[in-house]
Amino acid sequence: MLNLDFHPTGRHFLQIPGPSPVPERVLRAMSLPTIDHRGPEFGHLGLKVLRDIQQIFQTTQPVIIYPASGTGAWEAALCNVLSPGDEVLMYETGHFAALWHKMASRLGIKTRVIALEGTNDGIPNAWRNGVQVDLIAQHLREDHKHAIKAVCVVHNETSTGVTSNIHAVRQTLDELKHPALLMVDTISGLACAQYKHDAWGVDVSISGSQKGLMLPPGMSFNALSPKAIEASKHAKLPKAFWAWDEIIEMNKTGYWPYTPNTHLLYALSEACDMILDPHSGGLEGVFARHKRSAEGVRSAVNAWGLSIQCADASVYSPVLTGVLLPKEFDADAVRKTIYERFDCSLGTGLGKIKGRMFRIGHLGDTNDLTLLGTLAGCEMGLKVCGIALKASGVQAAMDYFASNPVTKPSAKNI
Ligand SMILES: *Cc1c(COP(=O)(O)O)cnc(C)c1O
């Protein structure tokens, strides 16, 4: 047996921005027996989850499901549509954008990385703001020969808590009549923040199971466009396991070319039923709940008198909130205190902002009271570490949640 009883009673608060807490319903769905992945029952399950996941991406185009972490789906997206030496324009919004860039370089893709310049409180502006479309436009405008084959952006930058405007990137490509593909990492954005694969004209959307979809880690996605599928027919980067063509073909009857992760598909089916349930408002209800949770958490951070990592209120993430600490404190020491004393995991500062900030996830199987518990853990931990707080953040969040009830979907929409 694993020793998971450091705190013998109560529930551990997993408040990192992924993996997120998995609902009991989803955990129980995974305890069903394994079935024949070539049998008739499996075909029904396969067709159902493929239909459901299309609704979540808001697309009518194929969605590929991989038994891999999000990183695998990043690679799949790149190697299906690009050839060695192709150039891509990538936008550095934070650590995950930087990792995707590193992967593209390793695959032999030429990368141009753009980022907002300057710093704010010792932190790169690029890591405190969303994608600036004028910077993208500048590069596209100068690219007369259309050397740039794809523009790659992260929708919800999980390392910082910033959600970029993807539709604006599409509009820029259209205005400049640039044929580059639009590839978007919405690994942590999907099923938390509004995301419209078709309406926003995204060519490849990449996502993962363990964030907004409330599943365990180990499954990831590529949502495609007809243009991306066409590009995949001519792209020369080596691809075999990741190749879309055979998967699309077999998915038509609900099967995969290899043994898929049956139990995660049970979980996906259950999670999609929860997310799409009209009684709780469907996808729009999901987005509204995340937005409200984020507001509550930010009201706490503001009451403490600490800074929110995202410096632009118009792109605050509904998924997580980055909390900056005064320079003289080590955010990881605070996290450690909160973990050891109060049994709550918070996200660490990644890459360039390690030690400067911690992240509070407000996604997955969470609600007002779990968030208030989390904020209480933070508030106690900050005080234990000697950080002076202006006022009680827990009180501010209670006031916010109490005076802003979750709006129920109207009966006529059910
Ligand atoms: C979690 C995450 C990833 C990495 O996914 P893995 O499942 O850890 O491989 C990439 N991008 C973003 C934005 C993420 O949140």
Side-chain angles (χ1 to χ4, degrees):
M1 252 321 257
L2 279 174
N3 180 13
L4 294 174
D5 58 355
F6 176 62
H7 289 264
T9 57
R11 186 165 73 68
H12 176 72
F13 275 48
L14 182 69
Q15 297 297 147
I16 58 176
S20 60
V22 178
E24 291 283 337
R25 257 178 82 174
V26 173
L27 289 173
R28 276 197 295 273
M30 289 199 301
S31 67
L32 293 170
T34 308
I35 55 172
D36 174 4
H37 66 298
R38 305 282 179 219
E41 263 179 296
F42 196 95
H44 292 297
L45 170 68
L47 289 175
K48 177 192 181 291
V49 292
L50 287 164
R51 248 190 341 261
D52 288 350
I53 197 70
Q54 279 181 316
Q55 287 190 56
I56 290 179
F57 277 99
Q58 304 195 50
T59 183
T60 58
Q61 300 303 317
V63 178
I64 308 287
I65 304 178
Y66 293 111
S69 87
T71 303
W74 262 348
E75 177 163 347
L78 296 171
C79 72
N80 268 285
V81 298
L82 297 168
S83 299
D86 270 358
E87 195 168 334
V88 299
L89 186 63
M90 303 187 102
Y91 196 105
E92 184 176 325
T93 40
H95 189 65
F96 286 102
L99 288 178
W100 197 15
H101 165 229
K102 191 169 130 201
M103 167 183 275
S105 306
R106 289 184 71 145
L107 289 171
I109 296 162
K110 254 200 262 168
T111 56
R112 258 197 237 183
V113 183
I114 48 178
L116 192 59
E117 287 179 0
T119 58
N120 176 351
D121 196 13
I123 293 173
N125 276 326
W127 288 47
R128 297 195 66 175
N129 290 275
V131 165
Q132 311 288 305
V133 286
D134 51 325
L135 292 182
I136 293 180
Q138 222 173 321
H139 282 262
L140 295 178
R141 211 174 278 124
E142 288 161 12
D143 181 34
H144 302 294
K145 290 189 177 152
H146 295 163
I148 297 169
K149 299 299 176 208
V151 175
C152 301
V153 288
V154 174
H155 173 222
N156 184 73
E157 180 50 80
T158 322
S159 63
T160 63
V162 175
T163 308
S164 287
N165 184 344
I166 299 305
H167 192 212
V169 181
R170 171 80 270 163
Q171 286 170 323
T172 302
L173 280 157
D174 288 350
E175 274 159 27
L176 299 172
K177 297 193 172 51
H178 198 292
L181 295 165
L182 175 56
M183 318 242 281
V184 180
D185 168 346
T186 185
I187 292 180
S188 63
L190 193 75
C192 295
Q194 180 62 269
Y195 192 81
K196 299 181 176 187
H197 177 82
D198 285 0
W200 293 352
V202 182
D203 291 299
V204 188
S205 294
I206 299 141
S207 197
S209 57
Q210 77 275 27
K211 316 258 165 113
L213 289 172
M214 312 187 291
L215 305 176
M219 184 183 270
S220 54
F221 310 89
N222 277 179
L224 315 181
S225 75
K227 194 170 149 189
I229 295 172
E230 191 51 38
S232 73
K233 293 176 183 161
H234 313 287
K236 298 278 187 313
L237 276 174
K239 54 180 180 286
F241 178 75
W242 303 119
W244 294 335
D245 52 359
E246 286 180 9
I247 301 173
I248 292 174
E249 200 44 46
M250 291 211 51
N251 276 179
K252 286 179 183 162
T253 49
Y255 298 92
W256 275 263
Y258 46 77
T259 317
N261 194 329
T262 310
H263 293 254
L264 276 180
L265 293 174
Y266 295 155
L268 176 62
S269 172
E270 194 68 19
C272 288
D273 287 349
M274 291 177 75
I275 291 166
L276 299 169
D277 185 353
H279 293 92
S280 43
L283 266 185
E284 294 301 324
V286 168
F287 303 146
R289 284 198 299 281
H290 282 85
K291 224 167 151 179
R292 181 176 166 281
S293 296
E295 287 272 359
V297 169
R298 287 196 305 270
S299 67
V301 181
N302 288 329
W304 289 330
L306 298 174
S307 300
I308 292 166
Q309 164 95 12
C310 177
D312 176 357
S314 71
V315 286
Y316 279 149
S317 171
V319 186
L320 74 140
T321 299
V323 183
L324 282 177
L325 293 187
K327 280 201 188 73
E328 60 274 28
F329 294 98
D330 174 7
D332 284 334
V334 175
R335 278 179 52 250
K336 185 163 180 272
T337 300
I338 295 168
Y339 175 78
E340 288 179 353
R341 292 281 304 271
F342 308 116
D343 202 13
C344 174
S345 292
L346 299 165
T348 184
L350 293 165
K352 295 177 185 177
I353 47 180
K354 183 150 187 58
R356 278 300 315 274
M357 59 91 81
F358 65 87
R359 296 169 296 149
I360 303 173
H362 23 86
L363 70 167
D365 193 35
T366 194
N367 61 20
D368 291 1
L369 297 187
T370 51
L371 287 175
L372 287 169
T374 302
L375 294 169
C378 292
E379 191 161 316
M380 290 186 287
L382 289 162
K383 283 188 182 165
V384 168
C385 292
I387 299 175
L389 303 176
K390 242 174 42 193
S392 168
V394 176
Q395 185 63 55
M398 285 200 296
D399 292 344
Y400 176 82
F401 287 138
S403 53
N404 292 280
V406 180
T407 43
K408 293 272 182 244
S410 59
K412 67 177 187 318
N413 294 333
I414 295 175

